[in-house]
Amino acid sequence: MEFLRKSLLFLSFLSIFASFAGAQTNVLPDSSDVLDTIPYGEQHIVLYKANVWDYVIDPEILARDKAISDTMDIFTERWNNEITFPYQWPDPGPPPDSILIQLVDDERGFVLPHYGMITSGFGWRYGRNHKAIDIDLEKGTPVRAAFDGKVRYSQYNNGGYGNLIIIRHFNGLETYYAHLTTRYVKPNQIVKAGQIIGTGGNTGAHWTGAHLHFECRWWDHAFDPLRIIEFDSLRLKSDSVILTPADFKISQSHKAYVNNGVNGQNSGTAVNYGGNNVTNNKPVETNASASGKVMGNYYYVKKGDTLSAIARRFGTSVAKLCELNGISKNSTLHIGQKIRIK
Ligand SMILES: [Zn+2]
């Protein structure tokens, strides 16, 4: 009888899901409006009377992690729910020296956010500086948190990420989950490794198929997620990792690929990386000492910047930046160049 009741509830859940999946909201009714709770792996799905639902983790575990996180500097310093790169803003720090990161321990594990074909790796791709891996998925596929942590950012990002969730983890890393169709988590919410945080899609990148754009960053500095993940076995290569400055650089081979160019594909923004002289008919006024700074509505280009990175950082688009500055998306950026951002 109990089984039948659960089965019927599950069926009614499925029909609710079918009707209201698109209307799933983060503004949930309070607990007195709970209709039922259905186990789902290590978490639960809670159904509310108002035909909305949510994934939940054991509240005691979440309360404990919340209390722990409240005592940790990492969850208070440079904590910002509105910008994508809180460590670099307003000052860009240099990439860190060698750092040892304890990724997981007995208490806190790792779960691959989604397993599928990797369609684009970390590094230069078609003239873009791609600081992520792209994992193919069907639109609507659940995407999971990689490690335990606290949601730092959950909103639609106009800079190209689309629906974006950023989680800051107890191990010090931040992970980025972009182009999502649905976001199930709110800023400042505690999440556990493996918790479903949203579903995949192609928001902000509607010209391509659905995929998960997954980034790993240490203090805003991106490194190849495959540096730590043994992808096909769905686990980490090791419980800890030592990242060196080389891990935060875009590899030479990828640069060479871009320099050689592939007709019609090398459409990204060229950046003056090494400080070499770049020939350009139109002289650009630069102020190298202001590089990386924000002053009023202006930002001064720093080493390694691209228009798309600047757009993402300030929540705008490449097209908007081009319009504001009278430049094209292929314009060469110069270190210290003054760019209007709004
Ligand atoms: Zn990507």
PDB file of all heavy atoms in Angstrom, residues 178-203:
ATOM      1  N   ALA A 178      27.933  27.283 -17.157  1.00  0.00           N
ATOM      2  CA  ALA A 178      27.331  28.298 -18.028  1.00  0.00           C
ATOM      3  C   ALA A 178      26.385  27.703 -19.068  1.00  0.00           C
ATOM      4  O   ALA A 178      26.414  26.502 -19.326  1.00  0.00           O
ATOM      5  CB  ALA A 178      28.432  29.086 -18.725  1.00  0.00           C
ATOM      6  N   HIS A 179      25.584  28.585 -19.654  1.00  0.00           N
ATOM      7  CA  HIS A 179      24.602  28.284 -20.712  1.00  0.00           C
ATOM      8  C   HIS A 179      23.446  27.430 -20.199  1.00  0.00           C
ATOM      9  O   HIS A 179      22.777  26.738 -20.968  1.00  0.00           O
ATOM     10  CB  HIS A 179      25.260  27.587 -21.915  1.00  0.00           C
ATOM     11  CG  HIS A 179      26.475  28.281 -22.447  1.00  0.00           C
ATOM     12  ND1 HIS A 179      26.515  29.643 -22.655  1.00  0.00           N
ATOM     13  CD2 HIS A 179      27.697  27.800 -22.799  1.00  0.00           C
ATOM     14  CE1 HIS A 179      27.713  29.966 -23.125  1.00  0.00           C
ATOM     15  NE2 HIS A 179      28.455  28.878 -23.212  1.00  0.00           N
ATOM     16  N   LEU A 180      23.194  27.466 -18.885  1.00  0.00           N
ATOM     17  CA  LEU A 180      22.140  26.628 -18.316  1.00  0.00           C
ATOM     18  C   LEU A 180      20.760  27.061 -18.804  1.00  0.00           C
ATOM     19  O   LEU A 180      20.530  28.237 -19.114  1.00  0.00           O
ATOM     20  CB  LEU A 180      22.186  26.709 -16.784  1.00  0.00           C
ATOM     21  CG  LEU A 180      23.502  26.277 -16.130  1.00  0.00           C
ATOM     22  CD1 LEU A 180      23.459  26.553 -14.631  1.00  0.00           C
ATOM     23  CD2 LEU A 180      23.773  24.799 -16.399  1.00  0.00           C
ATOM     24  N   THR A 181      19.850  26.096 -18.858  1.00  0.00           N
ATOM     25  CA  THR A 181      18.455  26.416 -19.158  1.00  0.00           C
ATOM     26  C   THR A 181      17.747  26.853 -17.874  1.00  0.00           C
ATOM     27  O   THR A 181      17.031  27.842 -17.852  1.00  0.00           O
ATOM     28  CB  THR A 181      17.739  25.181 -19.756  1.00  0.00           C
ATOM     29  OG1 THR A 181      18.313  24.925 -21.035  1.00  0.00           O
ATOM     30  CG2 THR A 181      16.250  25.428 -19.904  1.00  0.00           C
ATOM     31  N   THR A 182      17.964  26.092 -16.812  1.00  0.00           N
ATOM     32  CA  THR A 182      17.310  26.382 -15.535  1.00  0.00           C
ATOM     33  C   THR A 182      18.356  26.460 -14.434  1.00  0.00           C
ATOM     34  O   THR A 182      19.314  25.695 -14.438  1.00  0.00           O
ATOM     35  CB  THR A 182      16.342  25.234 -15.155  1.00  0.00           C
ATOM     36  OG1 THR A 182      15.721  24.762 -16.335  1.00  0.00           O
ATOM     37  CG2 THR A 182      15.291  25.702 -14.174  1.00  0.00           C
ATOM     38  N   ARG A 183      18.160  27.394 -13.513  1.00  0.00           N
ATOM     39  CA  ARG A 183      19.009  27.462 -12.320  1.00  0.00           C
ATOM     40  C   ARG A 183      18.144  27.123 -11.117  1.00  0.00           C
ATOM     41  O   ARG A 183      17.099  27.736 -10.928  1.00  0.00           O
ATOM     42  CB  ARG A 183      19.598  28.875 -12.153  1.00  0.00           C
ATOM     43  CG  ARG A 183      20.653  29.235 -13.180  1.00  0.00           C
ATOM     44  CD  ARG A 183      21.110  30.678 -13.053  1.00  0.00           C
ATOM     45  NE  ARG A 183      20.106  31.614 -13.540  1.00  0.00           N
ATOM     46  CZ  ARG A 183      19.354  32.392 -12.780  1.00  0.00           C
ATOM     47  NH1 ARG A 183      19.500  32.391 -11.467  1.00  0.00           N
ATOM     48  NH2 ARG A 183      18.465  33.192 -13.309  1.00  0.00           N
ATOM     49  N   TYR A 184      18.562  26.138 -10.336  1.00  0.00           N
ATOM     50  CA  TYR A 184      17.768  25.741  -9.173  1.00  0.00           C
ATOM     51  C   TYR A 184      18.296  26.325  -7.873  1.00  0.00           C
ATOM     52  O   TYR A 184      17.695  26.119  -6.828  1.00  0.00           O
ATOM     53  CB  TYR A 184      17.768  24.214  -9.024  1.00  0.00           C
ATOM     54  CG  TYR A 184      17.086  23.473 -10.139  1.00  0.00           C
ATOM     55  CD1 TYR A 184      17.607  22.276 -10.614  1.00  0.00           C
ATOM     56  CD2 TYR A 184      15.909  23.955 -10.706  1.00  0.00           C
ATOM     57  CE1 TYR A 184      16.989  21.575 -11.630  1.00  0.00           C
ATOM     58  CE2 TYR A 184      15.285  23.264 -11.725  1.00  0.00           C
ATOM     59  CZ  TYR A 184      15.829  22.077 -12.184  1.00  0.00           C
ATOM     60  OH  TYR A 184      15.222  21.389 -13.184  1.00  0.00           O
ATOM     61  N   VAL A 185      19.450  26.959  -7.906  1.00  0.00           N
ATOM     62  CA  VAL A 185      20.038  27.434  -6.650  1.00  0.00           C
ATOM     63  C   VAL A 185      20.164  28.958  -6.638  1.00  0.00           C
ATOM     64  O   VAL A 185      20.276  29.589  -7.681  1.00  0.00           O
ATOM     65  CB  VAL A 185      21.418  26.783  -6.384  1.00  0.00           C
ATOM     66  CG1 VAL A 185      21.260  25.302  -6.092  1.00  0.00           C
ATOM     67  CG2 VAL A 185      22.370  27.011  -7.555  1.00  0.00           C
ATOM     68  N   LYS A 186      20.119  29.483  -5.429  1.00  0.00           N
ATOM     69  CA  LYS A 186      20.160  30.933  -5.219  1.00  0.00           C
ATOM     70  C   LYS A 186      21.541  31.339  -4.700  1.00  0.00           C
ATOM     71  O   LYS A 186      22.228  30.522  -4.081  1.00  0.00           O
ATOM     72  CB  LYS A 186      19.141  31.337  -4.139  1.00  0.00           C
ATOM     73  CG  LYS A 186      17.712  31.003  -4.456  1.00  0.00           C
ATOM     74  CD  LYS A 186      16.807  31.385  -3.290  1.00  0.00           C
ATOM     75  CE  LYS A 186      16.895  30.398  -2.147  1.00  0.00           C
ATOM     76  NZ  LYS A 186      15.759  29.532  -1.964  1.00  0.00           N
ATOM     77  N   PRO A 187      21.903  32.613  -4.872  1.00  0.00           N
ATOM     78  CA  PRO A 187      23.150  33.085  -4.269  1.00  0.00           C
ATOM     79  C   PRO A 187      23.134  32.844  -2.758  1.00  0.00           C
ATOM     80  O   PRO A 187      22.079  32.947  -2.122  1.00  0.00           O
ATOM     81  CB  PRO A 187      23.156  34.587  -4.573  1.00  0.00           C
ATOM     82  CG  PRO A 187      22.313  34.721  -5.794  1.00  0.00           C
ATOM     83  CD  PRO A 187      21.246  33.672  -5.666  1.00  0.00           C
ATOM     84  N   ASN A 188      24.293  32.503  -2.217  1.00  0.00           N
ATOM     85  CA  ASN A 188      24.511  32.290  -0.776  1.00  0.00           C
ATOM     86  C   ASN A 188      23.928  30.975  -0.256  1.00  0.00           C
ATOM     87  O   ASN A 188      23.948  30.720   0.938  1.00  0.00           O
ATOM     88  CB  ASN A 188      23.978  33.459   0.060  1.00  0.00           C
ATOM     89  CG  ASN A 188      24.560  34.780  -0.402  1.00  0.00           C
ATOM     90  OD1 ASN A 188      25.738  34.848  -0.741  1.00  0.00           O
ATOM     91  ND2 ASN A 188      23.745  35.813  -0.455  1.00  0.00           N
ATOM     92  N   GLN A 189      23.442  30.154  -1.158  1.00  0.00           N
ATOM     93  CA  GLN A 189      22.908  28.852  -0.753  1.00  0.00           C
ATOM     94  C   GLN A 189      24.055  27.845  -0.641  1.00  0.00           C
ATOM     95  O   GLN A 189      24.956  27.816  -1.470  1.00  0.00           O
ATOM     96  CB  GLN A 189      21.897  28.395  -1.815  1.00  0.00           C
ATOM     97  CG  GLN A 189      21.218  27.083  -1.501  1.00  0.00           C
ATOM     98  CD  GLN A 189      20.174  26.722  -2.567  1.00  0.00           C
ATOM     99  OE1 GLN A 189      19.669  27.598  -3.287  1.00  0.00           O
ATOM    100  NE2 GLN A 189      19.865  25.454  -2.685  1.00  0.00           N
ATOM    101  N   ILE A 190      24.010  27.025   0.410  1.00  0.00           N
ATOM    102  CA  ILE A 190      25.001  25.955   0.572  1.00  0.00           C
ATOM    103  C   ILE A 190      24.622  24.795  -0.350  1.00  0.00           C
ATOM    104  O   ILE A 190      23.449  24.428  -0.439  1.00  0.00           O
ATOM    105  CB  ILE A 190      25.012  25.461   2.040  1.00  0.00           C
ATOM    106  CG1 ILE A 190      25.474  26.584   2.981  1.00  0.00           C
ATOM    107  CG2 ILE A 190      25.877  24.214   2.204  1.00  0.00           C
ATOM    108  CD1 ILE A 190      26.936  26.935   2.877  1.00  0.00           C
ATOM    109  N   VAL A 191      25.605  24.238  -1.057  1.00  0.00           N
ATOM    110  CA  VAL A 191      25.329  23.077  -1.911  1.00  0.00           C
ATOM    111  C   VAL A 191      26.334  21.966  -1.620  1.00  0.00           C
ATOM    112  O   VAL A 191      27.432  22.215  -1.133  1.00  0.00           O
ATOM    113  CB  VAL A 191      25.380  23.431  -3.421  1.00  0.00           C
ATOM    114  CG1 VAL A 191      24.238  24.351  -3.799  1.00  0.00           C
ATOM    115  CG2 VAL A 191      26.717  24.047  -3.810  1.00  0.00           C
ATOM    116  N   LYS A 192      25.923  20.751  -1.928  1.00  0.00           N
ATOM    117  CA  LYS A 192      26.781  19.590  -1.722  1.00  0.00           C
ATOM    118  C   LYS A 192      27.246  19.052  -3.075  1.00  0.00           C
ATOM    119  O   LYS A 192      26.538  19.179  -4.084  1.00  0.00           O
ATOM    120  CB  LYS A 192      26.002  18.491  -0.988  1.00  0.00           C
ATOM    121  CG  LYS A 192      25.481  18.895   0.380  1.00  0.00           C
ATOM    122  CD  LYS A 192      26.589  19.251   1.350  1.00  0.00           C
ATOM    123  CE  LYS A 192      27.311  18.008   1.872  1.00  0.00           C
ATOM    124  NZ  LYS A 192      28.405  18.384   2.806  1.00  0.00           N
ATOM    125  N   ALA A 193      28.415  18.418  -3.086  1.00  0.00           N
ATOM    126  CA  ALA A 193      28.906  17.782  -4.310  1.00  0.00           C
ATOM    127  C   ALA A 193      27.847  16.812  -4.820  1.00  0.00           C
ATOM    128  O   ALA A 193      27.301  16.023  -4.048  1.00  0.00           O
ATOM    129  CB  ALA A 193      30.202  17.037  -4.027  1.00  0.00           C
ATOM    130  N   GLY A 194      27.528  16.902  -6.095  1.00  0.00           N
ATOM    131  CA  GLY A 194      26.546  15.996  -6.680  1.00  0.00           C
ATOM    132  C   GLY A 194      25.132  16.538  -6.667  1.00  0.00           C
ATOM    133  O   GLY A 194      24.245  15.995  -7.325  1.00  0.00           O
ATOM    134  N   GLN A 195      24.914  17.612  -5.930  1.00  0.00           N
ATOM    135  CA  GLN A 195      23.574  18.207  -5.888  1.00  0.00           C
ATOM    136  C   GLN A 195      23.228  18.785  -7.256  1.00  0.00           C
ATOM    137  O   GLN A 195      24.056  19.431  -7.906  1.00  0.00           O
ATOM    138  CB  GLN A 195      23.539  19.316  -4.832  1.00  0.00           C
ATOM    139  CG  GLN A 195      22.170  19.979  -4.703  1.00  0.00           C
ATOM    140  CD  GLN A 195      22.127  20.977  -3.552  1.00  0.00           C
ATOM    141  OE1 GLN A 195      23.014  21.000  -2.695  1.00  0.00           O
ATOM    142  NE2 GLN A 195      21.095  21.799  -3.532  1.00  0.00           N
ATOM    143  N   ILE A 196      22.005  18.549  -7.689  1.00  0.00           N
ATOM    144  CA  ILE A 196      21.571  19.103  -8.968  1.00  0.00           C
ATOM    145  C   ILE A 196      21.323  20.595  -8.781  1.00  0.00           C
ATOM    146  O   ILE A 196      20.505  20.999  -7.958  1.00  0.00           O
ATOM    147  CB  ILE A 196      20.308  18.382  -9.475  1.00  0.00           C
ATOM    148  CG1 ILE A 196      20.657  16.925  -9.788  1.00  0.00           C
ATOM    149  CG2 ILE A 196      19.747  19.077 -10.715  1.00  0.00           C
ATOM    150  CD1 ILE A 196      19.458  16.043 -10.047  1.00  0.00           C
ATOM    151  N   ILE A 197      22.070  21.408  -9.538  1.00  0.00           N
ATOM    152  CA  ILE A 197      21.975  22.860  -9.366  1.00  0.00           C
ATOM    153  C   ILE A 197      21.223  23.525 -10.511  1.00  0.00           C
ATOM    154  O   ILE A 197      20.833  24.677 -10.421  1.00  0.00           O
ATOM    155  CB  ILE A 197      23.378  23.493  -9.242  1.00  0.00           C
ATOM    156  CG1 ILE A 197      24.264  23.081 -10.432  1.00  0.00           C
ATOM    157  CG2 ILE A 197      24.031  23.098  -7.913  1.00  0.00           C
ATOM    158  CD1 ILE A 197      25.583  23.833 -10.509  1.00  0.00           C
ATOM    159  N   GLY A 198      21.021  22.780 -11.592  1.00  0.00           N
ATOM    160  CA  GLY A 198      20.318  23.353 -12.735  1.00  0.00           C
ATOM    161  C   GLY A 198      20.265  22.340 -13.857  1.00  0.00           C
ATOM    162  O   GLY A 198      20.628  21.175 -13.674  1.00  0.00           O
ATOM    163  N   THR A 199      19.796  22.809 -15.029  1.00  0.00           N
ATOM    164  CA  THR A 199      19.803  21.926 -16.196  1.00  0.00           C
ATOM    165  C   THR A 199      20.547  22.620 -17.330  1.00  0.00           C
ATOM    166  O   THR A 199      20.542  23.845 -17.436  1.00  0.00           O
ATOM    167  CB  THR A 199      18.378  21.573 -16.659  1.00  0.00           C
ATOM    168  OG1 THR A 199      17.702  22.768 -17.053  1.00  0.00           O
ATOM    169  CG2 THR A 199      17.597  20.874 -15.559  1.00  0.00           C
ATOM    170  N   GLY A 200      21.168  21.821 -18.174  1.00  0.00           N
ATOM    171  CA  GLY A 200      22.010  22.351 -19.239  1.00  0.00           C
ATOM    172  C   GLY A 200      21.223  22.895 -20.414  1.00  0.00           C
ATOM    173  O   GLY A 200      20.032  22.604 -20.579  1.00  0.00           O
ATOM    174  N   GLY A 201      21.900  23.697 -21.231  1.00  0.00           N
ATOM    175  CA  GLY A 201      21.256  24.263 -22.413  1.00  0.00           C
ATOM    176  C   GLY A 201      22.229  25.067 -23.234  1.00  0.00           C
ATOM    177  O   GLY A 201      23.425  24.755 -23.273  1.00  0.00           O
ATOM    178  N   ASN A 202      21.733  26.109 -23.878  1.00  0.00           N
ATOM    179  CA  ASN A 202      22.617  26.953 -24.688  1.00  0.00           C
ATOM    180  C   ASN A 202      22.264  28.434 -24.543  1.00  0.00           C
ATOM    181  O   ASN A 202      22.457  29.217 -25.465  1.00  0.00           O
ATOM    182  CB  ASN A 202      22.608  26.513 -26.155  1.00  0.00           C
ATOM    183  CG  ASN A 202      21.245  26.681 -26.797  1.00  0.00           C
ATOM    184  OD1 ASN A 202      20.253  26.924 -26.112  1.00  0.00           O
ATOM    185  ND2 ASN A 202      21.183  26.562 -28.112  1.00  0.00           N
ATOM    186  N   THR A 203      21.764  28.820 -23.357  1.00  0.00           N
ATOM    187  CA  THR A 203      21.482  30.242 -23.153  1.00  0.00           C
ATOM    188  C   THR A 203      22.786  31.026 -23.266  1.00  0.00           C
ATOM    189  O   THR A 203      23.837  30.571 -22.823  1.00  0.00           O
ATOM    190  CB  THR A 203      20.842  30.501 -21.770  1.00  0.00           C
ATOM    191  OG1 THR A 203      21.707  30.007 -20.739  1.00  0.00           O
ATOM    192  CG2 THR A 203      19.488  29.821 -21.647  1.00  0.00           C
TER     193      THR A 203
END
